[in-house]
Amino acid sequence: MKKIVLVTIVLCLFSVFHADLRDEVKALQQWVNNPFSAVTLETERDAKLIELLNPEKGEFETTAQFELRKQEINTRKLAINKEYEQKVADARTEYDKCNAKLRVKINYLLTQSRETITMQGTLGSYDADTQKYRVSIPQRSFEIVVPLDKAPQVKSTFSSYQLKVSRQLNEKLEWDYLEAKLSGSAGEFSSTDKAPGISTSGTIASLVPPQLDSKLSFSESSGNNMLDAEETASLSIELSNTGKGSGYMVQANIALTGVSGIEYDKTIYFGELAPGKSLSKNCQIKGWTSLAEGTAQLIISFSEQNGFPPDDKVIQFSTLALRPPDTYIAETGINDYNQNNKIEPGEQVEVTVRLHNRGTGLAKGVAVEVKRGEGVYFTPETPSGTFNLGDIASGAYKDIVFHILTAKTATKLELSLDIRENRSQFSRLAVPLNLAFNKVERSADQMVITGKDTYASIASAPMLTADVDKDIPQRGKPDKNRWGVIIGIETYRHVSPVRYAIRDASIMREYFQKVLGIPSENLYIKTDDAATSGEFNTLFNPNGWLAKNASGLDSEIYVYYSGHGAPDPTNNRAYLLPYDANPNYASETGYELNQLYSNLGKLKAKQVTLFLDSCFSGANRDNEIILASARPVFISTPLPSVSANLAVFSAASGAQISSGYSDMQHGLFSYYLMKGLKGDADYNGDKKLSQKELADYLSENVSPMARRMGREQDPQLQSGDPNKVLLQW
């Protein structure tokens, strides 16, 4: 159909026939009578759709990936059908326009066939009432007006009169006789039928051309301005028309050279582009797993129905081949019931396994399943032997911890892991843990990974446990009047993570229970996406969880927070950031520190102690600005005052950051807070720890360590009675 339309337009604009008039009209009528057909476009569409039919699951494609690809194929099918519906509609519009122009041309040619000839006629009777003679020729009769006084003379001398008849070819290319004139001695007399006017021009309206221009832009998600394997980039094509005429059936045609392993849209249809208008469309460029490394070149050419396309364009970008992950068991450690570092039949054991990605690429959707031998069971602490670890970045690690109980009759552990990745070629199945009965194993705190990396650029995974994570003392029986809240937010929805916050919260839970004597049923713990703005309100607002449960005269409340804080420069106030908060809108989405202090101070509790491993400078533990509009200058936000029954231990002053301590895998403040609670802060050995003693210990250790990291961090204590005993044993 497209070829037919193009030929037809040429016929509209230029008469290419040099035969006589009849032949020219016949040729034009042949085009007009040719019915509209979209067969060519439909065949082109069907060829594209056939390529998408019956997709088969690839050898190295997971079921989830295959289902996602089928969804993408269905979306592509819908897009193709929509594109060709538009193409057919545009082709029909062009067809109708051309037919209308051709009919104008045909009508013009037919009027040019008009001629006047002399013919023999027969005179009929005269109608005196209408003063008309009927004059007949073989083809038809005319009524010729002759005045009554002239009628006798015309009749008597008719044989000497000349009959002139005008005729014109019709669409059947037969003569239509239009009018007649009778001329003689009495004068010239005309028929009542008059020929229509003759067209003064057969010229089709001249074409007003468009002026089409294009702009290209390339974008991709990784931010490296390259197309990575398994990445989808976007080529944006913007067309604008600065001319006075419309561009019709405009299409971009895309060809690729340079590299293999790229899927892309080969055509992008724009359709009509009116004067003064612009239109943007995107071409998806997908790098397959097989993407070769090199330089790709996309050549974009354009077509326009009447031959006025934009100039061709070329865009060039680099491609990056797949960087494979390499997830392996870096180290294994145990904590056994009788503390002899052996797994014995009939014994309950905690097993910690560190998985490290020493490859140069991201490990996607890692899931681990623990396989056991006969007589080896999971304990209630491990309801399932499956762990969904998500993505593991290059050089990063993640731990799994599971508890097993072995039967007394068991002879072999046969513990192994199935390490599955979204791409099955990167999965490892039945990887043995190499643990055996009655063999001395490394304890969890002895796990240090060295010399196992095959890529020099990938650092070894750090030690699994710090000294504060083990041998946590049991200071006494749980006290029903003691209550605890622990919030640890490492991964945020709108901002960079707080490294080690989950680990901080996890270990702090043991300190709350063992050292501070808080019963497990009196603990309220929320981490990551469970620590939303709604949870903060549920916890701390008047009539919230604390107010309803822990507001008693004998109550002692301990609150620990590890996560982001943020200032609001407009009101110079500090805010804690729940998981779903945005630091750039701290006053709207955060939980104001003033409000927290006020709500905690209103609780009818004997003592409320708040530990804040956070800062309010506008930066995170890695010294990175978290405010989109902030310059690299830290914002000083004064901390609000506290009520008499509230003591607040803060990780840093207002203008400082709260650092991470990578060697110990904790926040720097949290690490020394745990060491102090463990007993290191009891300098005089009286087995009593006052608020001041703990504050002094934090200052004497956190500040020097921060300076060794090249930072300033000075912990703060706000209390109405610093000498009050925090705990004793």
Side-chain angles (χ1 to χ4, degrees):
M1 180 55 213
K2 188 174 182 181
K3 293 180 180 178
I4 293 174
V5 172
L6 287 170
V7 174
T8 304
I9 289 175
V10 173
L11 287 171
C12 291
L13 300 176
F14 309 103
S15 179
V16 296
F17 299 95
H18 301 286
D20 63 24
L21 185 143
R22 285 175 181 268
D23 290 338
E24 188 170 356
V25 170
K26 284 181 179 178
L28 292 175
Q29 285 182 330
Q30 180 180 354
W31 286 105
V32 169
N33 294 327
N34 187 27
F36 174 79
S37 172
V39 170
T40 302
L41 290 173
E42 289 168 350
T43 302
E44 185 179 304
R45 176 202 64 200
D46 293 343
K48 290 186 177 182
L49 291 174
I50 286 174
E51 295 177 0
L52 303 176
L53 291 178
N54 303 320
E56 294 184 0
K57 186 174 179 293
E59 179 182 359
F60 301 113
E61 186 176 38
T62 66
T63 300
Q65 288 175 312
F66 181 51
E67 291 300 322
L68 179 60
R69 184 162 63 88
K70 287 199 294 185
Q71 291 178 14
E72 293 173 348
I73 288 173
N74 288 333
T75 301
R76 178 68 180 144
K77 287 179 182 177
L78 292 173
I80 290 173
N81 280 316
K82 184 176 181 180
E83 175 186 338
Y84 277 87
E85 283 177 7
Q86 185 62 50
K87 284 186 175 182
V88 170
D90 289 349
R92 183 181 289 278
T93 299
E94 290 300 313
Y95 170 85
D96 292 340
K97 287 180 181 178
C98 280
N99 263 4
K101 292 176 182 178
L102 287 173
R103 291 188 183 282
V104 171
K105 180 70 173 177
I106 290 171
N107 289 336
Y108 169 75
L109 291 174
L110 291 175
T111 60
Q112 300 310 301
S113 70
R114 186 177 298 183
E115 60 184 11
T116 300
I117 61 174
T118 301
M119 299 186 69
Q120 295 294 325
T122 303
L123 185 67
S125 59
Y126 183 72
D127 186 340
D129 292 332
T130 60
Q131 298 185 42
K132 296 175 184 176
Y133 270 117
R134 179 172 291 276
V135 178
S136 301
I137 60 175
Q139 290 79 10
R140 62 164 295 185
S141 295
F142 297 96
E143 290 184 338
I144 296 179
V145 178
V146 179
L148 186 61
D149 61 331
K150 303 278 187 173
Q153 182 182 352
V154 170
K155 184 174 182 179
S156 62
T157 59
F158 179 75
S159 60
S160 64
Y161 276 73
Q162 187 178 51
L163 180 64
K164 294 181 179 179
V165 180
S166 294
R167 67 179 184 176
Q168 178 181 315
L169 290 173
N170 58 28
E171 290 188 358
K172 296 180 180 180
L173 297 180
E174 297 173 349
W175 289 110
D176 284 338
Y177 293 83
L178 307 176
E179 66 177 3
K181 290 185 178 180
L182 191 62
S183 302
S185 57
E188 185 177 78
F189 308 99
S190 298
S191 64
T192 55
D193 293 322
K194 301 296 181 184
I198 296 178
S199 174
T200 58
S201 174
T203 305
I204 305 299
S206 61
L207 177 68
V208 180
Q211 178 60 51
L212 301 179
D213 297 294
S214 66
K215 292 181 180 178
L216 308 180
S217 63
F218 176 84
S219 61
E220 45 75 45
S221 58
S222 67
N224 62 0
N225 292 323
M226 305 172 71
L227 178 66
D228 301 343
E230 299 183 334
E231 181 182 41
T232 298
S234 178
L235 171 66
S236 175
I237 304 176
E238 180 183 0
L239 297 185
S240 58
N241 184 0
T242 58
K244 295 183 178 180
S246 289
Y248 296 100
M249 299 181 75
V250 182
Q251 179 170 291
N253 307 292
I254 304 171
L256 173 74
T257 63
V259 297
S260 59
I262 296 179
E263 179 186 1
Y264 61 98
D265 299 321
K266 296 178 177 58
T267 60
I268 299 179
Y269 187 68
F270 288 84
E272 181 179 354
L273 195 61
K277 299 294 184 182
S278 296
L279 183 61
S280 293
K281 292 201 173 184
N282 291 326
C283 166
Q284 299 301 309
I285 307 169
K286 184 172 184 178
W288 289 112
T289 303
S290 59
L291 177 64
E293 197 153 316
T295 301
Q297 198 173 61
L298 288 176
I299 303 169
I300 300 96
S301 60
F302 299 92
S303 58
E304 193 272 337
Q305 183 68 52
N306 297 324
F308 296 95
D311 294 335
D312 293 354
K313 291 285 182 70
V314 175
I315 189 167
Q316 185 171 292
F317 55 89
S318 298
T319 59
L320 195 62
L322 180 67
R323 296 299 193 253
D326 183 7
T327 305
Y328 72 107
I329 298 174
E331 191 60 277
T332 304
I334 68 167
N335 283 320
D336 59 314
Y337 185 79
N338 60 21
Q339 299 293 303
N340 65 357
N341 292 343
K342 294 181 181 180
I343 303 176
E344 298 167 327
E347 185 179 26
Q348 182 171 326
V349 179
E350 178 188 82
V351 181
T352 301
V353 181
R354 172 155 291 170
L355 299 168
H356 183 214
N357 179 8
R358 61 186 172 191
T360 55
L362 176 71
K364 297 183 178 181
V366 178
V368 177
E369 183 178 0
V370 180
K371 301 291 187 178
R372 300 158 292 143
E374 186 176 352
V376 180
Y377 308 97
F378 290 129
T379 69
E381 291 92 341
T382 307
S384 169
T386 301
F387 301 84
N388 292 314
L389 303 183
D391 296 345
I392 303 179
S394 173
Y397 69 92
K398 290 191 177 181
D399 300 334
I400 65 169
V401 179
F402 59 92
H403 298 77
I404 59 171
L405 176 64
T406 60
K408 292 182 178 180
T409 57
T411 57
K412 292 183 180 179
L413 288 170
E414 295 181 340
L415 288 170
S416 64
L417 300 184
D418 282 351
I419 307 171
R420 300 184 186 276
E421 210 251 25
N422 275 352
R423 300 156 295 182
S424 58
Q425 68 266 40
F426 300 126
S427 296
R428 293 182 171 182
L429 305 182
V431 182
L433 290 181
N434 296 320
L435 297 175
F437 281 122
N438 298 311
K439 171 188 170 186
V440 176
E441 305 288 355
R442 180 173 295 180
S443 64
D445 61 292
Q446 294 172 331
M447 291 170 57
V448 180
I449 301 164
T450 56
K452 294 191 178 182
D453 299 322
T454 58
Y455 294 90
S457 61
I458 306 301
S460 297
M463 61 189 302
L464 184 63
T465 58
D467 53 352
V468 296
D469 299 351
K470 61 179 182 176
D471 301 327
I472 301 171
Q474 185 75 49
R475 295 301 189 195
K477 295 181 179 180
D479 186 338
K480 66 178 181 179
N481 291 317
R482 293 192 174 184
W483 300 80
V485 171
I486 296 175
I487 297 175
I489 311 175
E490 184 160 335
T491 303
Y492 278 82
R493 179 183 293 172
H494 300 296
V495 70
S496 58
V498 178
R499 287 204 297 166
Y500 319 128
I502 292 292
R503 187 184 183 93
D504 290 342
S506 176
I507 302 301
M508 188 57 73
R509 175 178 185 164
E510 294 191 54
Y511 277 84
F512 270 36
Q513 290 181 277
K514 293 181 179 179
V515 176
L516 298 177
I518 303 174
S520 59
E521 62 269 20
N522 286 11
L523 277 175
Y524 196 109
I525 302 173
K526 294 295 178 183
T527 59
D528 276 5
D529 57 0
T532 61
S533 299
E535 281 300 328
F536 274 63
N537 292 329
T538 298
L539 265 171
F540 301 122
N541 279 5
N543 298 318
W545 187 85
L546 277 176
K548 289 183 177 180
N549 292 280
S551 189
L553 295 177
D554 295 326
S555 294
E556 296 178 41
I557 301 171
Y558 300 87
V559 178
Y560 171 81
Y561 175 79
S562 178
H564 275 309
D568 187 335
T570 60
N571 61 20
N572 206 31
R573 292 184 178 180
Y575 296 83
L576 298 182
L577 293 185
Y579 162 79
D580 50 353
N582 188 325
N584 299 297
Y585 304 95
S587 59
E588 286 79 21
T589 63
Y591 198 92
E592 188 182 349
L593 206 58
N594 264 327
Q595 180 183 355
L596 176 64
Y597 286 6
S598 174
N599 290 342
L600 292 178
K602 291 177 183 178
L603 296 174
K604 298 176 183 179
K606 182 168 62 176
Q607 179 64 38
V608 181
T609 305
L610 175 61
F611 303 107
L612 285 178
D613 193 349
S614 181
C615 64
F616 305 94
S617 61
N620 65 14
R621 285 180 174 179
D622 296 316
N623 210 15
E624 299 169 338
I625 299 296
I626 66 172
L627 301 178
S629 59
R631 298 175 181 177
V633 176
F634 297 117
I635 303 165
S636 177
T637 302
L639 298 177
S641 58
V642 300
S643 61
N645 68 335
L646 176 62
V648 179
F649 291 85
S650 304
S653 66
Q656 298 173 339
I657 68 168
S658 174
S659 303
Y661 192 3
S662 59
D663 286 350
M664 296 300 170
Q665 302 292 286
H666 282 293
L668 180 60
F669 172 80
S670 290
Y671 172 75
Y672 283 107
L673 172 62
M674 294 176 201
K675 280 184 75 72
L677 292 175
K678 198 173 181 181
D680 286 23
D682 181 23
Y683 288 134
N684 58 16
D686 64 354
K687 297 187 178 181
K688 294 180 181 179
L689 186 62
S690 69
Q691 295 175 6
K692 185 178 184 305
E693 280 183 302
L694 180 59
D696 290 344
Y697 174 80
L698 290 170
S699 295
E700 292 168 9
N701 287 276
V702 172
S703 299
M705 182 59 71
R707 285 193 290 272
R708 284 196 286 272
M709 298 176 182
R711 303 175 182 179
E712 293 294 327
Q713 181 177 343
D714 299 310
Q716 305 289 309
L717 169 64
Q718 293 171 275
S719 174
D721 184 7
N723 293 316
K724 181 177 289 188
V725 174
L726 185 67
L727 66 97
Q728 59 183 351
W729 59 96

